[in-house]
Amino acid sequence: MAKRLKWKEYDYTVQLGPGNSWVYRPVIEVDIQSGQRRVPVLAMLDSGTDGTVLDASVAERLGIDYRQCQKVKLGGIGSVEGFLSTIELTVSDMKVKMDIPVVFAKDLPMEGLLGQRHFFQRFKVRFEKDINKFYLAAV
């Protein structure tokens, strides 16, 4: 018998987008921890992103020294340079914690992007854009 999933419903978040238009995005709050420091981060679920990418300002708040991290380049639309580190990511309202590698990059359009590798491997994700809702279930 297949395991029955417990789905958690979320509303899309309204944000100012390109051309000063309002856009609805699938954003959740996650806790990011490195060492003894923990910070809340608003991150968008992004099925077009391979891994998890966080703004470099999050690394600063966590006390992560980029000079001690491996430099990496992110591909996609354009190219972005960043640095690699491992953090603990917690989706608090689902009681899920995971230690994952992330890339920190400067000047992201938001604090974080949760991509296919790691995040989408730990959660089933269902988008219902027509009603501006999305759903997560831990697997």
Side-chain angles (χ1 to χ4, degrees):
M1 183 185 227
K3 178 183 168 186
R4 185 159 168 82
L5 297 175
K6 289 185 177 182
W7 291 94
K8 171 96 171 121
E9 178 183 291
Y10 295 87
D11 292 317
Y12 274 63
T13 300
V14 180
Q15 295 180 328
L16 194 59
N20 291 324
S21 62
W22 296 108
V23 294
Y24 293 84
R25 293 186 170 135
V27 174
I28 61 171
E29 183 175 299
V30 294
D31 289 322
I32 306 296
Q33 183 169 343
S34 179
Q36 298 301 310
R37 293 188 187 177
R38 177 181 294 265
V39 297
V41 169
L42 291 176
M44 183 174 74
L45 281 65
D46 187 353
S47 62
T49 299
D50 292 329
T52 298
V53 183
L54 300 174
D55 193 81
S57 65
V58 175
E60 290 174 20
R61 292 173 17 218
L62 291 168
I64 296 172
D65 183 355
Y66 71 90
R67 295 170 296 194
Q68 303 299 316
C69 299
Q70 176 185 346
K71 289 182 182 179
V72 294
K73 277 195 177 195
L74 296 174
I77 300 174
S79 181
V80 175
E81 290 187 10
F83 55 95
L84 187 64
S85 187
T86 299
I87 53 90
E88 179 183 276
L89 183 144
T90 304
V91 180
S92 300
D93 58 355
M94 299 205 54
K95 297 178 177 61
V96 174
K97 288 184 181 183
M98 57 185 122
D99 290 325
I100 60 171
V102 299
V103 174
F104 291 98
K106 290 185 178 183
D107 303 321
L108 291 181
M110 57 189 43
E111 284 186 298
L113 300 171
L114 304 173
Q116 292 180 38
R117 206 172 318 114
H118 309 296
F119 191 83
F120 279 66
Q121 291 172 338
R122 286 292 303 272
F123 292 93
K124 293 274 187 197
V125 181
R126 194 172 82 218
F127 297 106
E128 294 191 18
K129 184 69 174 160
D130 59 323
I131 59 172
N132 288 322
K133 302 241 183 239
F134 65 99
Y135 303 84
L136 295 179
V139 293

